[in-house]
Amino acid sequence: MRDIISVRALSALQKKRRLVKRGDEILTSKPFCFVLENSVIGQYCETCLATARKERLLSRCKGCWRAWYCSDICRDLGETQHRHECQLFRDRPDYRPKDFARFLARLIRKLKEGGEDVVERIDARRSRRFRDLMSHSKEIEKDQKRLDYLAEMMPDLQVLLGKSNIPEREELIQIFGKVMVNSFCLLDHHLKPVGTSLYLAASIFDHSCAPNAFVSFVGSKLVVRTLVEWPELHLDMVHISYLDTMNSREHRRTFLQDSYYFACDCRLCRDEEHARTASSIRCRSKACGTPVHVDESGTGWVDPCGACGFCKFPRGVAYEYIEVAEYTRAELADLDEENPIRLRCSVLICLNPRPGLEVWRDVTEAQGALLHPLNLWRSKSLEALVTASVNMRQWSAALAPARENEAAIRHYYGPKHPYVGLYLMKLAKIELNNMEWHPALEHLQEAEEILEAGLGSNHPLVFVDLTWLLIQASEECRVDIQRSLMYGRAQATSAAGRSLAANRGRS
């Protein structure tokens, strides 16, 4: 009887404390200030970030012909933010200021027009103003790279604000520091970076390389959802990721120290086994295949296998590994997200590698059977190869590396991270184009469960894109079963191939 009473009491206590389930919204925040990148102007509404569609076309501002809006309501709502730029661009139609300078100028102007008094609620007990944000001004004063970056903005700030409206140096550095440390990369409904934004309430969240919450956007509104279940919600225990966690521990710690001025000591950074797997080769013992750590510092040291104890690696294998790793890093250099504007934005899975398909084939062939499938450089190279293949619409070439890389994506992001869902969605699309209907459906169903928790069931990526892929995969599976029952497996596969080829020809 005591146990039953205890269970009932615990259940009542959890209800009283508001049990937070995985996928629940734990905070929403409206932008204090945001700006679209110059490269996407004309593709999104300047106020709500709606894209041009047949039923809702974007129209230009008739004053400067630079800003675009989806409706008169959005035009009126954006008037306060746009009116100063409108006059400037009208007088100087060829002027193209830097994106970050525009953002900084908008922010300074808003502060001068009463933005210091704007308050955003975090919960029933706490709220935040702009003055409450950390600036790290002392660290920035000693950071020559940041000072040089601010100096690059000054010519544009003088044009956008006028020399008389630029704050004194000390105040300017504080504003600049608050922006650099607290800004978010603004993403559209396909999780593509489109701008920079600052949120007062959302600045409360600290970083972890193993986050328990995920940030997404509905228009310009920021939404934070929990990736775990909480018996009671404490925002101080919620952590998001400020960077792409699919990087080496050394890279993550250096980036966070340089960008946010703190040394990360999260659970993932303390995980020695995880860090060692990032630079690993295959165990040479038959039927083992366990990742074996290689010291990348150049000592030539290879650890014994932790599973079977194998240690008779060929002489020079460590130097061969270091050479291949350096070659891989050189080709991946342009894929690193180090733009100081795009802070607190993880690099998306869907990369767009600069070099062509042949380059990534050469890289993965050079790695051969040496690198373990969970090796960080192997995984990044496979993803670049997959993306290059998809961009060239070589679906058959993308299938094998995409499947090989699935385990590494799960390893580096965790089984329930939304980026795993995005990868499964991408893998399923490749499988659909290779007539692998049933694996595609299984991957899409798993992706649906992950993405609904991370993004919400009403997010366009889930509600539209994923739903249509699920409908296609379900229908193809149904037709495939009918063909198999009628004609047998071989003839059904042949018929499906002819049907797919015909559909591709029509598209």
Side-chain angles (χ1 to χ4, degrees):
M1 179 63 70
R2 183 193 302 177
D3 292 338
I4 295 175
I5 294 173
S6 298
V7 170
R8 288 176 177 173
L10 179 61
S11 177
L13 182 63
Q14 287 178 339
K15 289 180 180 179
K16 183 178 180 180
R17 290 178 175 177
R18 183 182 170 247
L19 179 68
V20 180
K21 297 180 180 179
R22 173 171 163 262
D24 283 355
E25 287 186 12
I26 53 178
L27 184 137
T28 61
S29 182
K30 294 183 178 180
F32 181 74
C33 181
F34 76 94
V35 69
L36 290 177
E37 295 179 359
N38 285 319
S39 60
V40 300
I41 289 178
Q43 302 175 32
Y44 301 88
C45 173
E46 290 275 346
T47 301
C48 70
L49 268 63
T51 55
R53 301 197 302 269
K54 290 182 179 179
E55 68 273 17
R56 182 165 58 176
L57 299 177
L58 302 182
S59 58
R60 279 182 171 181
C61 169
K62 295 180 180 179
C64 63
W65 294 89
R66 186 77 63 91
W68 295 72
Y69 300 96
C70 67
S71 64
D72 292 337
I73 295 175
C74 282
R75 191 188 307 275
D76 294 338
L77 291 173
E79 175 64 22
T80 302
Q81 181 173 252
H82 177 62
R83 68 175 185 271
H84 298 283
E85 289 183 356
C86 185
Q87 182 62 48
L88 174 65
F89 293 146
R90 187 184 311 171
D91 298 336
R92 305 178 64 171
D94 296 328
Y95 177 53
R96 293 291 185 275
K98 294 181 176 62
D99 293 325
F100 191 70
R102 284 182 61 220
F103 179 72
L104 204 56
R106 283 186 176 186
L107 180 62
I108 292 171
R109 192 178 295 114
K110 178 164 185 172
L111 293 173
K112 288 182 176 292
E113 295 176 352
E116 289 283 7
D117 298 326
V118 174
V119 180
E120 187 171 29
R121 279 256 166 234
I122 298 172
D123 53 29
R125 297 179 293 107
R126 290 173 292 182
S127 61
R128 278 206 169 184
R129 302 172 188 260
F130 184 77
R131 69 170 72 102
D132 299 324
L133 305 183
M134 292 186 66
S135 68
H136 288 284
S137 56
K138 293 182 179 179
E139 289 86 350
I140 288 179
E141 287 279 14
K142 301 175 184 178
D143 190 339
Q144 192 57 47
K145 288 184 179 180
R146 287 284 171 87
L147 294 176
D148 291 343
Y149 186 64
L150 178 58
E152 291 177 13
M153 304 297 111
M154 291 306 295
D156 282 330
L157 290 178
Q158 291 175 0
V159 175
L160 292 166
L161 293 171
K163 292 183 179 180
S164 60
N165 291 321
I166 295 178
E168 296 296 327
R169 186 180 187 279
E170 183 178 351
E171 182 184 358
L172 180 61
I173 287 180
Q174 286 190 350
I175 295 173
F176 175 70
K178 289 179 180 181
V179 170
M180 296 301 292
V181 174
N182 295 282
S183 294
F184 283 81
C185 176
L186 187 60
L187 307 177
D188 70 358
H189 58 284
H190 283 124
L191 306 189
K192 170 188 172 184
V194 296
T196 307
S197 51
L198 182 69
Y199 300 86
L200 300 181
S203 64
I204 190 176
F205 296 117
D206 291 329
H207 164 83
S208 173
C209 298
N212 53 26
F214 188 74
V215 174
S216 61
F217 298 87
V218 179
S220 61
K221 184 179 74 172
L222 178 144
V223 180
V224 182
R225 294 178 182 273
T226 176
L227 299 179
V228 298
E229 192 170 274
W230 302 85
E232 184 179 8
L233 180 62
H234 294 285
L235 291 181
D236 296 337
M237 299 173 64
V238 176
H239 294 86
I240 62 176
S241 180
Y242 294 179
L243 79 170
D244 181 18
T245 57
M246 192 169 172
N247 274 299
S248 66
R249 178 172 62 183
E250 292 73 19
H251 175 91
R252 298 197 308 269
R253 283 179 167 173
T254 300
F255 178 85
L256 292 168
Q257 184 65 56
D258 293 345
S259 301
Y260 300 99
Y261 308 107
F262 71 89
C264 187
D265 191 37
C266 68
R267 175 182 61 80
L268 194 65
C269 287
R270 294 194 303 269
D271 189 337
E272 289 295 331
E273 190 63 31
H274 189 278
R276 293 161 71 85
T277 301
S279 56
S280 60
I281 60 175
R282 295 175 184 266
C283 176
R284 296 298 178 91
S285 177
K286 293 182 179 179
C288 182
T290 302
V292 176
H293 173 68
V294 179
D295 186 356
E296 292 192 19
S297 63
T299 62
W301 176 256
V302 182
D303 290 350
C305 177
C308 67
F310 182 86
C311 60
K312 297 180 180 179
F313 292 94
R315 182 177 297 178
V317 68
Y319 297 107
E320 180 185 356
Y321 169 84
I322 291 170
E323 184 179 349
V324 170
E326 288 179 351
Y327 171 45
T328 304
R329 281 194 294 268
E331 295 297 342
L332 289 167
D334 288 342
L335 299 184
D336 291 337
E337 182 61 71
E338 303 208 355
N339 187 336
I341 297 178
R342 295 179 176 181
L343 302 180
R344 297 193 178 201
C345 174
S346 298
V347 181
L348 300 182
I349 296 290
C350 303
L351 303 173
N352 185 22
R354 177 184 54 83
L357 179 58
E358 293 302 322
V359 172
W360 298 112
R361 282 177 176 166
D362 292 343
V363 171
T364 53
E365 287 176 7
Q367 295 168 353
L370 177 65
L371 272 60
H372 192 273
L374 297 183
N375 182 288
L376 177 65
W377 311 120
R378 177 68 174 175
S379 180
K380 284 178 173 285
S381 300
L382 287 173
E383 180 53 33
L385 174 60
V386 170
T387 304
S389 300
V390 170
N391 289 344
M392 298 290 291
R393 303 189 71 80
Q394 295 190 17
W395 301 103
S396 59
L399 182 60
R403 283 178 168 173
E404 179 185 342
N405 204 26
E406 181 185 347
I409 296 297
R410 293 180 187 273
H411 171 77
Y412 284 103
Y413 288 108
K416 298 298 183 180
H417 195 283
Y419 285 175
V420 174
L422 288 175
Y423 188 84
L424 293 175
M425 189 173 165
K426 183 177 182 178
L427 174 57
K429 188 173 182 179
I430 295 171
E431 289 172 331
L432 285 173
N433 280 277
N434 282 279
M435 298 185 298
E436 299 281 352
W437 320 122
H438 298 281
L441 181 59
E442 291 177 4
H443 286 137
L444 287 171
Q445 289 171 340
E446 184 180 359
E448 182 181 32
E449 189 272 333
I450 294 173
L451 292 176
E452 280 189 347
L455 302 177
S457 58
N458 291 327
H459 193 283
L461 196 65
V462 179
F463 184 68
V464 180
D465 297 34
L466 180 59
T467 299
W468 277 112
L469 286 174
L470 275 167
I471 292 172
Q472 180 187 353
S474 299
E475 182 64 16
E476 293 289 2
C477 286
R478 184 186 65 80
V479 173
D480 183 60
I481 292 172
Q482 289 180 342
R483 285 172 177 159
S484 298
L485 293 173
M486 292 175 64
Y487 306 114
R489 171 56 56 187
Q491 292 184 4
T493 303
S494 177
R498 290 193 298 271
S499 176
L500 182 62
N503 290 335
R504 286 177 178 173
R506 284 195 294 270
S507 61

